[in-house]
Amino acid sequence: MRDYGKIKNYKAEGRKIAVEFEKGRMEVTVLTDEIINVFVPIWSDDHRSKAIERDDLERVLSKGCNFDTSEGSTKDGRRSIEIKTSCLKAVVKDGGSVDFYDAAGRLISAQFEGERVPIKTVGIWEKELLEAEGHTVADTVLDKPVSDVRCIGKNDSLYGLGDKMGLLDKRSYEYENWNTDDPSAHNEQYRSLYKSIPFLICKGKEYTYGLFYDNTFHGYFDLAKENAEYIAYTADDGNLDLYFIGGGNIKSVVGNYTLLTGVTPLPQLWTLGYHQCRWGYSSAKDIREVAEKFRELDIPCESVQYDIDYMDGYRVFTWNEKDYGKPGELFKELKAKGFKPVVIIDPGTKREEGYFMYEEGTKNGYFFRNAEDTEDYVNEVWPGEANYPDFGREEVRYWWGKHVNDLTDMGVAAIWNDMNEPASFKGPLPEEVVGHDEDRKTTHRELHNVYGHFMAKATYEAMKEHTKKRPLVITRASYSGTQKYAAVWTGDNQSLWSHLAMMIPQLCTLGMCGYSICGVDIGGFGADTTPELLARWIEAASFATFFRNHSANGSIRQEPWLFGDEVVDIYRKYVKLHYRFLPYIYDLMYEEQKTGLPVMRPLVMNYEDDENTFNLNDEYMVGDSILVAPVVAAGERVKKVYLPKGDWYRLTDGEKISGGRYILEEAPLDYLPVFIKAGSVIPTYEDMAYVGEKEFKKLTLLATPEGGKATHYRDNGEDYSYLDGEYDLYEFEVSKEGKLKVNMANSSERIAKYEEIAVSIL
Ligand code: GLC
């Protein structure tokens, strides 16, 4: 249990209340009426946040706040300091516990003051035996320097933590934040994956709040697994830097969290389209043939992505001319057919004299150093022996960015950052490896979980500055706040039905953590897919914001035409469905800039009072209007669908179905159950082979017989001119009779206009 002794004194300065205890100190800072930070300096005196940058903090502080600080005493006679805003009250008590109350005075999160009793009771001897047999036995978490244990209600649900495996409601599981590249088949008992996002949403009986533990060191979450009464966060090092986020419901908690750490920026429109990839397209011929086949089969596609084979011997920023021809030539050729070049870049830089990246990096001291700081640190990745750029330094990011600029100059349209946990084939990087947080020397212990974050930042900032277009950077590893720089995919999944099912909670959770552009490898990366699995996967993913089929060397190829005509037809149908709804997805991204709310959402985000949604793992919403209930089990031809209260319309035949119940929906292999909420107006486009193929001349508003309203956003889909007002904002109102009223809330003569806006009643 935390015990800092009695409160000696406290001092309020601006928004900060510094509390001095007999054995420690704490700072409580009111950021907004709904966000209060509790900071206990254990490792450093200041926050050193990587998630909340200067601009983020300015944005938060500009919201203003009002609060009072007073002294009080607890029921058990302890001295306390109360900090009260219009929404929250934090009570700091003798001993160092902090409790939070809502505006109605209800205790919403109390510090747990008992002793933790971890479940793991294995002795050291048993541990050795278990580990010899290949089991992993976690060390005890009791003696960690950073610890925060908080009470929760017995039926509270727990959401968040980014890409972690498992269910939507993560209660009764434990997790670790230590970015991990593990190619084996991820299952719901996995504690860590590629990303570390220490943000939890606790849905209590009467109040929903968020806990953001901003700490990059190795962290551990026990989510009421060892004891139903509490959740525990501990870490190997760092500070206790807790942002208590109020709001009362999931939407406002997510809004507040993204206010703090940033939203996913508006992307270029084409990036939201379909992408094809394989680790194993090993020549220009391969890429060309795949690209042409998409056009021939009339399956829309934006990019056939270049995995590591396009490089010369896996040396980053080089080009394999032998198999891919002259640099840039293939790009030009495929651009003429609407394909945008997307290339992979790994951080591991080959150690080889004469190779420019190695020479520049070594000469300038841009790589991580060994634990003794005597020479550059060496491990192994795809190119063999490699060094690791020290991305925490601005100078190194700038250097990297210059090479990114060479790629974009060559025609590259988007960059895919991989292996940036970072991956290492010769054992993990020792925690003592030396790197930097800007000018400050530090170790990998602090930097590991933000390695991918800094690499994404380097790539994004260079692309933004140099191309003046909205960058698409796709990253595998990330931390809280990386959503400002990159879209994410969930790494090396496999062609397993359980991984298809896992996609829904995983993407919904990433969305709740600010990652509005996210996706999984459709069809599964490792292992061999089957016709049925691929068909169900393209259906299930058809509203994903990062929409890509990808597979691994050594697995069977995964282009849809290799699975027979039936699969091709299904594939085409659902990729086209995605494109049909592209303007709706883009509108949601426009909204997301203001609200932080993701495109793909768990039902509980929209129907928070409906307990049937609390842990609903096989359905999702797209915005507020579309409910998608994919089949995610082999052989299933009838889907049990939960429709929340209200009326719904089946997309395919417009049949009206009343909600607040489960229905059984016939679901043959080519059918994805999609329902439209009564009162929705949804903008849709005509068919296209790719974004940019033709002008969008016709917009069709899909509406239900109730009529309704919608706001529709249109810009040039590419650059930042929208920030100078170059966009159109339509306000549509469809009457019950299907009559349309249009109001232009913003109009720019530089934006093309629709020739026709039609209404289609379901
Ligand atoms: C990693 C990535 C995967 C990529 C492969 C080869 O496994 O997760 O997507 O294809 O490396 O670059």
Side-chain angles (χ1 to χ4, degrees):
M1 196 191 100
R2 179 186 296 172
D3 186 12
Y4 302 147
K6 290 210 158 87
I7 297 172
K8 277 177 34 194
N9 54 53
Y10 72 97
K11 203 166 96 201
E13 234 176 61
R15 292 166 182 243
K16 194 184 288 175
I17 297 96
V19 185
E20 209 179 315
F21 295 91
E22 285 166 338
K23 291 184 278 180
R25 66 192 181 82
M26 178 185 284
E27 283 169 13
V28 180
T29 308
V30 180
L31 292 165
T32 71
D33 282 20
E34 291 184 345
I35 308 175
I36 297 180
N37 175 249
V38 174
F39 179 74
V40 179
I42 298 165
W43 168 79
S44 65
D45 280 342
D46 50 2
H47 295 263
R48 301 185 177 175
S49 180
K50 314 293 181 292
I52 308 167
E53 299 186 37
R54 202 185 319 126
D55 288 355
D56 298 321
L57 198 59
E58 274 172 18
R59 180 181 57 237
V60 176
L61 297 180
S62 72
K63 289 209 81 166
C65 66
N66 272 311
F67 67 96
D68 294 319
T69 309
S70 59
E71 254 202 80
S73 60
T74 62
K75 277 195 199 117
D76 58 0
R78 283 188 276 168
R79 185 180 177 193
S80 66
I81 316 292
E82 301 194 353
I83 300 125
K84 193 165 183 259
T85 74
S86 62
C87 304
L88 291 174
K89 183 173 76 177
V91 179
V92 181
K93 304 187 282 195
D94 275 345
S97 293
V98 187
D99 297 339
F100 293 91
Y101 295 78
D102 70 5
R106 290 179 300 211
L107 180 60
I108 49 178
S109 171
Q111 196 83 56
F112 178 77
E113 294 191 321
E115 286 304 321
R116 274 188 78 175
V117 184
I119 322 166
K120 290 171 211 85
T121 50
V122 277
I124 186 74
W125 176 235
E126 290 158 283
K127 181 174 153 105
E128 276 172 19
L129 283 178
L130 284 164
E131 284 180 345
E133 216 205 343
H135 300 281
T136 20
V137 183
D139 290 332
T140 177
V141 287
L142 286 186
D143 49 9
K144 303 282 181 206
V146 181
S147 163
D148 193 51
V149 187
R150 313 202 66 84
C151 301
I152 56 161
K154 84 174 180 308
N155 295 315
D156 294 1
S157 295
L158 297 163
Y159 308 112
L161 300 187
D163 65 341
K164 298 283 185 278
M165 302 303 287
L167 307 168
L168 187 65
D169 183 350
K170 297 200 156 36
R171 191 187 172 102
S172 302
Y173 287 82
E174 63 182 328
Y175 295 96
E176 281 180 40
N177 269 352
W178 188 252
N179 290 355
T180 304
D181 166 32
D182 185 341
S184 57
H186 312 143
N187 65 52
E188 75 253 38
Q189 293 286 354
Y190 264 53
R191 287 198 287 258
S192 52
L193 268 188
Y194 307 92
K195 304 169 183 63
S196 288
I197 298 161
F199 169 54
L200 269 180
I201 301 171
C202 308
K203 184 178 154 37
K205 201 163 162 222
E206 279 144 340
Y207 197 89
T208 297
Y209 57 92
L211 301 170
F212 171 40
Y213 292 99
D214 191 9
N215 184 7
T216 66
F217 288 88
H218 198 144
Y220 308 80
F221 285 91
D222 184 298
L223 303 184
K225 178 177 175 178
E226 66 183 36
N227 189 321
E229 283 177 24
Y230 60 73
I231 54 176
Y233 167 74
T234 49
D236 283 351
D237 217 328
N239 301 311
L240 176 65
D241 198 353
L242 165 65
Y243 291 82
F244 189 88
I245 301 176
N249 58 59
I250 298 176
K251 282 185 173 172
S252 37
V253 170
V254 171
N256 279 325
Y257 172 73
T258 51
L259 175 73
L260 260 184
T261 61
V263 297
T264 302
L266 192 68
Q268 292 190 59
L269 184 61
W270 70 269
T271 64
L272 297 169
Y274 177 80
H275 307 270
Q276 179 65 34
C277 192
R278 176 170 173 83
W279 171 26
Y281 292 148
S282 53
S283 66
K285 183 168 168 278
D286 224 354
I287 299 249
R288 188 183 293 121
E289 280 173 9
V290 172
E292 279 166 1
K293 195 81 181 168
F294 272 97
R295 295 289 180 259
E296 183 190 319
L297 292 177
D298 186 27
I299 302 173
C301 184
E302 303 297 327
S303 78
V304 179
Q305 306 194 338
Y306 297 73
D307 206 322
I308 47 175
D309 295 311
Y310 83 87
M311 295 182 230
D312 176 17
Y314 309 135
R315 294 170 188 86
V316 285
F317 301 110
T318 67
W319 186 259
N320 163 4
E321 289 195 30
K322 187 170 136 294
D323 300 314
Y324 287 81
K326 287 249 167 307
E329 253 178 35
L330 183 60
F331 295 169
K332 264 196 225 134
E333 176 195 327
L334 291 176
K335 261 190 177 167
K337 295 180 177 138
F339 288 95
K340 293 89 178 165
V342 180
V343 302
I344 197 168
I345 287 288
D346 294 342
T349 307
K350 188 177 176 74
R351 282 171 64 79
E352 183 185 58
E353 273 174 35
Y355 165 41
F356 63 95
M357 289 301 289
Y358 173 73
E359 297 286 344
E360 290 170 16
T362 318
K363 188 175 83 208
N364 297 308
Y366 288 162
F367 295 125
F368 271 173
R369 306 278 287 167
N370 65 359
E372 298 74 33
D373 201 0
T374 50
E375 54 190 35
D376 288 348
Y377 173 75
V378 187
N379 204 306
E380 231 179 66
V381 264
W382 303 122
E385 282 202 338
N387 294 124
Y388 292 80
D390 186 6
F391 289 120
R393 286 166 61 192
E394 190 170 12
E395 195 186 341
V396 178
R397 292 197 296 275
Y398 184 72
W399 165 63
W400 194 259
K402 276 199 321 216
H403 292 288
V404 165
N405 295 345
D406 294 340
L407 284 177
T408 51
D409 284 345
M410 206 209 270
V412 166
I415 291 184
W416 165 25
N417 282 346
D418 188 26
M419 307 290 275
N420 50 2
E421 294 70 34
S424 48
F425 297 166
K426 286 243 156 122
L429 275 69
E431 293 192 2
E432 299 72 29
V433 158
V434 177
H436 290 80
D437 172 20
E438 303 304 349
D439 295 335
R440 181 176 55 88
K441 203 190 258 190
T442 181
T443 65
H444 194 58
R445 194 171 158 83
E446 180 190 0
L447 296 172
H448 177 84
N449 284 339
V450 278
Y451 195 74
H453 173 85
F454 281 129
M455 185 187 184
K457 181 173 162 130
T459 312
Y460 176 89
E461 285 180 340
M463 286 176 80
K464 182 174 176 186
E465 171 65 30
H466 193 65
T467 67
K468 311 286 183 219
K469 288 194 175 154
R470 308 168 209 164
L472 171 65
V473 179
I474 307 144
T475 185
R476 192 169 74 174
S478 74
Y479 180 68
S480 288
T482 317
Q483 71 269 14
K484 291 185 286 261
Y485 306 118
V488 287
W489 97 106
T490 58
D492 298 348
N493 64 355
Q494 299 203 3
S495 302
L496 301 171
W497 285 95
S498 59
H499 282 192
L500 166 58
M502 200 83 77
M503 174 184 79
I504 299 175
Q506 223 178 0
L507 296 187
C508 286
T509 303
L510 280 165
M512 286 199 276
C513 296
Y515 286 90
S516 288
I517 307 188
C518 56
V520 306
D521 287 346
I522 292 168
F525 176 72
D528 299 326
T529 201
T530 66
E532 185 185 357
L533 181 57
L534 186 63
R536 289 306 195 190
W537 213 314
I538 195 71
E539 290 171 8
S542 57
F543 288 90
T545 38
F546 181 58
F547 189 40
R548 182 184 75 169
N549 174 329
H550 183 37
S551 60
N553 240 338
S555 66
I556 58 168
R557 286 182 70 131
Q558 215 161 256
E559 296 85 54
W561 49 88
L562 299 169
F563 300 85
D565 291 347
E566 191 188 8
V567 173
V568 171
D569 290 344
I570 293 172
Y571 214 88
R572 179 187 305 110
K573 181 170 165 185
Y574 289 99
V575 176
K576 285 195 171 187
L577 181 88
H578 180 91
Y579 276 80
R580 187 175 161 208
F581 285 99
L582 210 52
Y584 177 61
I585 294 174
Y586 197 57
D587 283 348
L588 289 170
M589 284 307 303
Y590 167 74
E591 284 297 318
E592 185 258 2
Q593 308 303 296
K594 293 177 280 176
T595 61
L597 300 182
V599 175
M600 189 166 168
R601 305 175 184 175
L603 268 70
V604 65
M605 187 179 245
N606 290 353
Y607 299 95
E608 204 166 334
D609 295 330
D610 180 347
E611 61 182 291
N612 292 315
T613 68
F614 291 0
N615 200 12
L616 192 56
N617 286 279
D618 63 350
E619 296 179 22
Y620 62 88
M621 299 277 321
V622 188
D624 282 335
S625 296
I626 303 180
L627 186 150
V628 186
V631 171
V632 291
E636 199 169 277
R637 296 292 182 267
V638 177
K639 167 87 183 181
K640 185 177 89 172
V641 182
Y642 181 68
L643 294 174
K645 258 209 184 85
D647 289 331
W648 299 85
Y649 291 84
R650 186 184 291 113
L651 176 65
T652 45
D653 63 4
E655 187 188 327
K656 183 174 175 177
I657 305 165
S658 59
R661 63 187 175 119
Y662 289 89
I663 59 163
L664 287 180
E665 183 77 349
E666 296 279 340
L669 186 60
D670 68 345
Y671 178 63
L672 168 71
V674 176
F675 303 89
I676 309 294
K677 189 175 151 185
S680 300
V681 174
I682 302 173
T684 60
Y685 278 153
E686 307 284 278
D687 261 8
M688 68 192 95
Y690 56 89
V691 171
E693 186 202 15
K694 48 191 173 203
E695 274 292 331
F696 301 122
K697 291 194 173 144
K698 182 172 176 190
L699 188 75
T700 304
L701 300 174
L702 190 68
T704 68
E706 291 78 6
K709 290 184 184 169
T711 301
H712 170 63
Y713 173 80
R714 183 174 183 184
D715 62 14
N716 69 16
E718 278 187 4
D719 59 24
Y720 290 91
S721 57
Y722 71 97
L723 296 175
D724 302 321
E726 286 188 21
Y727 65 89
D728 284 351
L729 198 63
Y730 296 82
E731 286 171 349
F732 296 130
E733 194 174 339
V734 177
S735 71
K736 286 198 176 96
E737 295 72 41
K739 282 244 156 54
L740 174 66
K741 263 213 303 233
V742 184
N743 175 45
M744 295 299 282
N746 195 66
S747 177
S748 158
E749 46 190 50
R750 310 196 58 166
I751 301 302
K753 303 289 173 270
Y754 298 112
E755 287 173 6
E756 186 188 350
I757 300 175
V759 175
S760 161
I761 304 281
L762 263 171

